[in-house]
Amino acid sequence: MSSQVCFAKGMTARRHIGTLLVLRAEEHVRQRAHTEYLQADTVCRQNRENGRLKSKDKGSPEPGPVPKGQIRLYSMRFCPFAQRTRLVLNAKGIKHEVINIQLRDKPEWFLKKNPLGLVPLLETAAGELIYESPITCEYLDEEYPGRKLLPSTPYGRAQQKMMLENFSKILPLTYKIPMGRQKGEEVSALVDELKEKFGKLNEDLEKKKSKFFGGDGVSMIDYLMWPWFERLEAFKLTDCLDGAPGLQKWVERMSEDPVVKACRHSLDTYEAYYKTYIEGKPNFDYGL
């Protein structure tokens, strides 16, 4: 057998082995991703049931220590700020428990934990307390392993913080418009302002040429912005997206995200709750 033939056969064998190694590596990645998905899905379902407990009000006994290996979230089922933290907890598959708070009649012990009286509030097994929704989400992403939601570079993280700061200017409009309509006030100027701001978001997204605000996968900024878009239909504000096709597609993509699906309420539930909210008598335990 000539040396050229031997060399050719050797090269073929090495290519075959290389192909097998690549296929095995790809299969390992797929299996690991599937396992992580199943684990996260199990945690999501457990946490969803956990979050259906009725709210604790003034006079309620203080809960005991946070179980080892868990973290506790003090929440309110319909609060968009607390939903941010729930989204991150579920996205990372973090085992946690939820205690819902009656925000119009807060327990005394809750006010000792957070003098501001606001949710979300995280409590660790060591008794550490973290509040303010962006801070809780950043803490969870840094403290827990697994899927990372924040960008890996300082500039990338700074960009997302700037986007969040700009987005915060939009939030008051999503409340002022439905409240104004309920009172019979003229809100056309507010609607135009919201459309303008959505148009700017649309431009920012189209400039990125990506599916989501953080890239081609859902990241922290997407989860931090999502809760208010989830409520647009209940607030009768979906028409404000008519001039923002890129943003509309983002909403469609986010609606299909498994974590978003695990943390959302039905439209009927949102409409019924926000009716009580606008009337000044919010039913925090609606549907339980």
Side-chain angles (χ1 to χ4, degrees):
M1 184 181 295
S2 71
S3 59
Q4 288 181 333
V5 172
C6 289
F7 177 78
K9 287 185 175 181
M11 289 295 292
T12 301
R14 281 194 289 272
R15 281 197 294 269
H16 181 64
I17 293 171
T19 300
L20 287 175
L21 290 174
V22 170
L23 290 173
R24 286 177 182 174
E26 290 176 347
E27 179 61 23
H28 176 71
V29 170
R30 282 195 293 269
Q31 289 178 349
R32 186 175 62 184
H34 183 62
T35 300
E36 289 177 352
Y37 170 80
L38 291 176
Q39 291 172 341
D41 183 62
T42 300
V43 172
C44 280
R45 285 187 279 107
Q46 292 172 343
N47 293 337
R48 186 162 59 244
E49 292 304 313
N50 193 7
R52 289 182 60 81
L53 299 174
K54 287 193 173 183
S55 303
K56 303 290 185 182
D57 57 10
K58 191 172 184 179
S60 298
E62 182 175 357
V66 178
K68 188 176 180 180
Q70 290 196 35
I71 193 167
R72 178 180 292 158
L73 170 65
Y74 297 93
S75 182
M76 191 278 276
R77 293 170 57 237
F78 300 106
C79 174
F81 295 97
Q83 187 181 354
R84 285 173 163 174
T85 313
R86 293 201 307 274
L87 286 165
V88 172
L89 284 163
N90 283 280
K92 293 181 71 69
I94 299 170
K95 190 175 182 181
H96 66 279
E97 63 176 20
V98 178
I99 293 181
N100 290 312
I101 301 298
Q102 226 292 354
L103 296 180
R104 291 291 178 95
D105 191 22
K106 305 178 185 81
E108 299 87 343
W109 49 262
F110 178 71
L111 292 170
K112 290 180 182 178
K113 294 178 185 293
N114 183 0
L116 297 177
L118 301 174
V119 294
L121 169 67
L122 290 174
E123 183 175 12
T124 70
E128 300 161 327
L129 299 166
I130 306 102
Y131 52 86
E132 294 297 332
S133 60
I135 298 174
T136 63
C137 294
E138 184 174 347
Y139 168 82
L140 292 171
D141 200 45
E142 292 181 350
E143 178 67 17
Y144 288 86
R147 176 184 176 187
K148 287 298 178 184
L149 299 174
L150 285 166
S152 59
T153 66
Y155 179 64
R157 293 192 292 275
Q159 277 190 312
Q160 292 212 358
K161 288 179 180 179
M162 289 186 289
M163 277 190 275
L164 183 61
E165 182 63 26
N166 288 330
F167 180 70
S168 67
K169 309 293 193 301
I170 293 176
L171 306 188
L173 293 170
T174 63
Y175 297 106
K176 288 180 180 179
I177 295 170
M179 293 291 282
R181 285 172 174 167
Q182 173 69 16
K183 296 175 183 177
E185 298 173 354
E186 174 56 52
V187 296
S188 58
L190 295 175
V191 170
D192 289 343
E193 185 179 354
L194 183 58
K195 288 180 178 179
E196 180 184 350
K197 291 187 182 299
F198 280 166
K200 181 63 170 64
L201 272 180
N202 186 76
E203 289 177 15
D204 292 343
L205 184 59
E206 290 184 342
K207 284 179 183 177
K208 293 177 182 296
K209 296 181 180 179
S210 59
K211 295 179 180 179
F212 301 96
F213 281 95
D216 287 327
V218 182
S219 68
M220 182 68 79
I221 186 62
D222 299 291
Y223 284 135
L224 292 178
M225 293 167 59
W226 172 252
W228 287 266
F229 288 93
E230 184 172 300
R231 289 157 173 77
L232 287 183
E233 191 171 0
F235 290 162
K236 306 294 188 290
L237 293 174
T238 52
D239 60 319
C240 292
L241 292 172
D242 289 348
L247 197 56
Q248 285 178 323
K249 289 180 181 178
W250 175 82
V251 170
E252 292 171 4
R253 294 187 188 106
M254 287 295 293
S255 296
E256 294 303 313
D257 180 69
V259 175
V260 166
K261 288 182 176 181
C263 295
R264 76 187 314 164
H265 294 290
S266 69
L267 175 60
D268 290 343
T269 299
Y270 272 134
E271 288 179 337
Y273 166 72
Y274 280 108
K275 182 176 184 295
T276 70
Y277 176 85
I278 291 173
E279 291 172 351
K281 297 178 181 180
N283 181 359
F284 300 120
D285 293 329
Y286 178 83
L288 298 181

